[in-house]
Amino acid sequence: MSTAIDGLVSGLSTSSLISSLMKVEAAPQDRLKTKVKTAQTTVASYQTVNKQLAALKTAGSTLGDLATWRSVKASSSSSSVSATATNSLTAAAGSTTFDVISTAKAQVTTTQYAAGSTDITDGSDSLTIKVGSGADVAVNLTSDRTPAGIAAAINSTSGIGVRAGVVTTASGDSILQLTSTKTGTENTFEVTGLTGTSNVVTAASDAKIRVGSLEADGVTLTPGSYEVTSSSNTFTGLLSGVSITVTKPETGVNVSAVNDIDGIAGKIQALVDAANGTLSEVASQTAYDASTKTGSPLSGDFMVRNIRQTLLSAVSVGLSYDNPRFDSNLPEDSTTNPKTVAFGSLSKLGIQLDSTGALTFDAEKFKTAYNADPNAIKEAGIGLGDNFEALADKQSKSITSVITGRNSDIDSLNKQISEWDTRLVAKRATLQKTYTSLETALGKLQNQSTWLAGQLAGLS
């Protein structure tokens, strides 16, 4: 390790001189660090804009999804029957009326053992439990063959589909209770390896719904009537795209599903909000304050500034989209078989530009238009979503490309900065060596001067 001699002979502050010289030497590296900081700030701004574009793309994709326009809202006339829309592509508006004949139940089996029973098995090392048509499952037993020990062994074995518990009666007897974890006749179970007489307290049963009625004999279904069963208390095929869950027998239950216009309007509002968020972010990142002559990180970036114009143009010029019913086998024309549909002003969908350049959405106007012509508005809405998804995706790819390039530049600058660190360390070592040598040389000269002065004094 080198050690600087700080002016012991020369009287110079060599450490200060070296520090000053090193600042001059480090100036190019400082400029590189400033460039890196500026580039990182710019990249962060690009990423913020890109985040808004990603939200706009997602909103466009959701609006353009056919499932959005086929979504329904389900309702039930009974508090004991719940109806939930699954919002699948098969969902459709409609209604049905039915009777809940029975609900699904899980099998419950009990076996009573005298107080103090220490071994309730038939001597085997394991029990066998079979659920429905499934394979036999072995339950390995421990030395504890009491009702509590058997229950613990069953509960510690995974994949059985049966849970066990022990209840103590007033007389001290133990009741081993086994319960299927699932309802329905397909989950009926049998246990082999236990002593005692088991009783099925609750038989496994399926839930049953009847649409229509019975003949006078109370057994035969009237023409057109039918029954549906489910191993659980949930039915998914009674009304397309609707899940129905029953909790008790009941008659005359009506479940209906209507098009979820409010939900669709919410998706359009989300698109408008995402577009406004993008416009606002672009304005913020490209702003310039003339009074202070201060710009934002992306003030001079034409690509980012152009995003605003592109979005506003997509609204102001009206909507055109690819005709989903276009038949390439027929002559293309602008009336019966157009390849592109010119829908026109987005105000038909309730979307407009206000005086500030922001988008607004009138949900009630949209609902009125939808109710008047659902198919036309659906196609236009899907086209709008697809257009904005494609627009946001294109803009995002451009920005992502710039970010990639800027990050590459930053990596290159950081590499140069790292190389400068090596140079500066070497330069400091050289300066310290130089000044140390200078002090040493001056020290020798001073010693020689002192000796010579002594010799001259002796001669006189």
Side-chain angles (χ1 to χ4, degrees), residues 365-376:
K365 186 173 182 179
F366 163 74
K367 293 175 186 178
T368 299
Y370 181 88
N371 288 328
D373 194 346
N375 288 330

Side-chain angles (χ1 to χ4, degrees), residues 83-95:
T84 305
T86 58
N87 289 337
S88 67
L89 289 175
T90 60
S95 66

Side-chain angles (χ1 to χ4, degrees), residues 107-132:
Q107 177 180 334
V108 179
T109 298
T110 61
T111 308
Q112 185 167 350
Y113 297 99
S117 296
T118 58
D119 189 348
I120 63 172
T121 69
D122 61 3
S124 302
D125 291 331
S126 64
L127 303 178
T128 299
I129 298 179
K130 179 179 177 61
V131 178

